[in-house]
């Protein structure tokens, strides 16, 4: 059974590898051409790590840590790496939006554990960040021309 499974995945992996490598090369070139070398290189390194982990777990049958503590530490480390890449590529505005989105994901049943003053401040801040999504320059210019 293992040999038949290997035979079906080999062509799929080859096709995906060629297609994604070509597409990735084009995107990397475009990013480097725009002058964002630090972001492009960081994203490429992180994607290489993520692909390695996914291939190791799914394709090679490697297991995740068996103890809950080790599993939490590993998952948190991956989340921190991904968060760092997002922050690096988007700056402070993305951090504010991520925090606001995270606050918005807190289920209503947990809000009664948060002190009232803090809960109100968090909700107000989240709403101000989410409603502070101004129009992009192109749309703002088009809207201004349409009004005249």
């Amino acid at each position: 059974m293992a040999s038949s499974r290997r035979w079906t995945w080999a062509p799929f992996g080859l096709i995906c590898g060629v297609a994604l490598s070509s597409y990735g090369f084009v995107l990397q070139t475009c990013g480097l051409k725009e002058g964002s070398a630090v972001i492009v290189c960081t994203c490429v390194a992180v994607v290489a790590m993520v692909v390695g982990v996914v291939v190791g777990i799914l394709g090679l049958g490697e297991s995740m840590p068996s103890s809950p503590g080790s599993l939490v530490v590993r998952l948190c480390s991956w989340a921190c790496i991904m968060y760092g890449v997002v922050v690096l590529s988007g700056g402070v505005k993305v951090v504010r939006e991520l925090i606001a989105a995270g606050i918005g994901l807190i289920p209503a049943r947990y809000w009664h554990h948060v002190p009232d003053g803090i809960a109100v401040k968090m909700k107000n801040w989240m709403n101000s960040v989410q409603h502070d999504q101004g129009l992009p320059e192109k749309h703002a210019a088009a809207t201004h021309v349409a009004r005249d």
Side-chain angles (χ1 to χ4, degrees), residues 78-99:
W78 291 344
C80 288
I81 290 170
M82 296 296 183
Y83 179 76
V85 169
V86 170
V87 169
L88 182 64
S89 65
V92 176
K93 183 177 179 183
V94 172
V95 173
R96 291 182 60 195
E97 291 173 5
L98 281 174
I99 293 171

Side-chain angles (χ1 to χ4, degrees), residues 58-87:
L58 298 178
L60 302 176
E62 293 182 13
S63 61
M64 293 292 284
S66 58
S67 71
S70 298
L71 181 63
V72 168
V73 168
R74 181 168 294 178
L75 293 175
C76 286
S77 66
W78 291 344
C80 288
I81 290 170
M82 296 296 183
Y83 179 76
V85 169
V86 170
V87 169

Side-chain angles (χ1 to χ4, degrees):
M1 180 160 172
S3 63
S4 66
R5 186 181 304 156
R6 192 173 341 142
W7 176 249
T8 57
W9 283 104
F12 178 72
L14 185 62
I15 291 169
C16 288
V18 169
L20 294 176
S21 294
S22 302
Y23 189 61
F25 179 73
V26 170
L27 292 177
Q28 288 176 25
T29 304
C30 291
L32 292 171
K33 193 174 181 180
E34 289 181 10
S36 48
V38 172
I39 297 168
V40 170
C41 292
T42 305
C43 289
V44 168
V46 169
V47 167
M49 286 188 282
V50 169
V51 167
V53 168
V54 170
V55 166
I57 291 173
L58 298 178
L60 302 176
E62 293 182 13
S63 61
M64 293 292 284
S66 58
S67 71
S70 298
L71 181 63
V72 168
V73 168
R74 181 168 294 178
L75 293 175
C76 286
S77 66
W78 291 344
C80 288
I81 290 170
M82 296 296 183
Y83 179 76
V85 169
V86 170
V87 169
L88 182 64
S89 65
V92 176
K93 183 177 179 183
V94 172
V95 173
R96 291 182 60 195
E97 291 173 5
L98 281 174
I99 293 171
I103 292 171
L105 292 175
I106 298 173
R109 65 179 180 266
Y110 295 118
W111 280 105
H112 74 275
H113 295 294
V114 179
D116 292 337
I118 295 174
V120 168
K121 287 180 182 179
M122 288 173 67
K123 292 256 185 176
N124 288 340
W125 182 79
M126 179 186 68
N127 290 333
S128 70
V129 169
Q130 289 177 345
H131 295 298
D132 194 22
Q133 308 283 332
L135 289 173
E137 291 180 27
K138 291 180 182 177
H139 296 298
T143 305
H144 181 68
V145 171
R147 289 181 189 165
D148 289 339

